[in-house]
Amino acid sequence: MQRRWAAIYLAFFLVMAGSAYSVMAVAEEPAMDIEGDTYQQGDTLEANGTTYTVAELGEGEASLAYNTTVEQETTFANNSVVEYGGDQYNVTVESGEEPNSFTLTQEFDVGAILQNDSRVDNQTYQREDGTEFVRYENGTTQPLDEYLPDPDQEQFSVGDSIEHGGTTKTVQSVSSSEAVLTWEETTAESIGLEEGGVVTVGGTEYVATFPDNSTVLLSTDVEGYEQVSEDREYFQERTSGLMYVVIFSVGAGFLLAAMALMPRRE
């Protein structure tokens, strides 16, 4: 009698496991069938005059690489020394309440010039009146201002172009304290893409999904993606529940069978 009831319960649990497994076998996960454009590695898309290139595509990730132009600026402070044309120049802003220009005056490396001139001492001297001078080997002297060559001078006004730091810059404004130079630089940027990630490209929101490791789909149907994701999550929860039924039923059935086959004490 004991084994008979065990066989009945075993059959019940096996039927339960088989039913749950059969439902799992025929169930289909909701497809990600949202509409959008698909791209592969190296493909491009245009948005608001900017070209985006699909890069680093694979394993559910990618990026959109693009170039952007950024305005940069630098300042030349009045009475400061800046590099220009490979030499050092002193900045002198035009006098007046509303200056419109500045002058770059070449600065000399006096020590280097003296060392390269065998006719004079390698240092300068100063008279009692403060005049700085150089001394020749024959004992004669010459004021330093007269000894040095005429410095190069360049004047620039608002709107002028100036070559500085390997870049063509524009004099944007001049004040009594400084001159402001501006220029544009092109920099490389990228937008990261991941499964379900929402990004803004050219002012439009897109959601990314990956049909396979070599393709990314960009869709404006963000709500549609979220709905399918919720349906998939619900499907996974129900599938997991059925799997627990299978495991429990098979385990319980074999446990009952093992107990029924245990030798009885007479």
Side-chain angles (χ1 to χ4, degrees):
M1 189 67 179
Q2 181 181 5
R3 293 183 178 181
R4 183 181 303 171
W5 280 107
I8 293 173
Y9 282 119
L10 175 60
F12 170 77
F13 283 121
L14 290 178
V15 170
M16 288 290 293
S19 299
Y21 184 80
S22 63
V23 173
M24 291 175 56
V26 299
E28 293 185 2
E29 184 177 20
M32 186 60 72
D33 56 357
I34 59 174
E35 295 184 356
D37 296 322
T38 57
Y39 301 90
Q40 294 184 331
Q41 180 78 15
D43 288 347
T44 60
L45 64 149
E46 299 283 339
N48 283 355
T50 301
T51 300
Y52 298 83
T53 303
V54 178
E56 302 175 357
L57 176 58
E59 298 182 359
E61 293 182 342
S63 64
L64 295 176
Y66 65 100
N67 293 328
T68 184
T69 301
V70 180
E71 186 172 276
Q72 306 281 6
E73 74 171 38
T74 188
T75 59
F76 286 176
N78 189 27
N79 293 323
S80 66
V81 176
V82 299
E83 184 178 352
Y84 173 71
D87 289 321
Q88 300 295 311
Y89 283 73
N90 182 267
V91 180
T92 305
V93 174
E94 175 189 24
S95 61
E97 294 183 358
E98 297 182 359
N100 186 59
S101 65
F102 65 94
T103 301
L104 295 181
T105 303
Q106 185 179 17
E107 291 278 317
F108 293 111
D109 186 345
V110 176
I113 293 176
L114 295 176
Q115 289 180 1
N116 291 328
D117 188 350
S118 60
R119 301 173 303 161
V120 296
D121 293 346
N122 290 339
Q123 65 179 27
T124 61
Y125 303 90
Q126 194 171 43
R127 296 194 176 101
E128 292 182 358
D129 62 359
T131 302
E132 195 171 9
F133 65 92
V134 296
R135 177 179 290 125
Y136 288 86
E137 287 186 347
N138 59 12
T140 60
T141 63
Q142 183 180 19
L144 179 63
D145 290 343
E146 297 179 8
Y147 168 78
L148 294 174
D150 293 335
D152 178 43
Q153 286 189 326
E154 298 281 349
Q155 187 177 47
F156 299 92
S157 301
V158 173
D160 288 348
S161 297
I162 176 173
E163 292 293 328
H164 177 252
T167 303
T168 300
K169 302 176 182 179
T170 301
V171 181
Q172 186 68 26
S173 63
V174 178
S175 67
S176 59
S177 60
E178 64 184 16
V180 178
L181 280 58
T182 62
W183 71 100
E184 291 185 343
E185 281 187 358
T186 300
T187 60
E189 304 285 348
S190 67
I191 300 174
L193 301 177
E194 60 182 8
E195 181 65 39
V198 179
V199 296
T200 300
V201 180
T204 302
E205 282 193 341
Y206 293 89
V207 61
T209 183
F210 296 81
D212 53 59
N213 285 335
S214 62
T215 306
V216 59
L217 183 146
L218 296 178
S219 173
T220 57
D221 188 7
V222 178
E223 293 183 357
Y225 180 92
E226 292 175 348
Q227 183 60 55
V228 175
S229 297
E230 291 177 2
D231 293 342
R232 285 185 163 187
E233 184 176 352
Y234 180 81
F235 174 83
Q236 292 296 333
E237 290 177 356
R238 294 301 177 266
T239 303
S240 298
L242 291 173
M243 178 58 69
Y244 283 125
V245 171
V246 172
I247 295 173
F248 174 79
S249 297
V250 172
F254 279 102
L255 179 60
L256 285 173
M259 293 177 65
L261 295 174
M262 290 178 62
R264 295 180 296 174
R265 292 184 179 179
E266 297 296 338

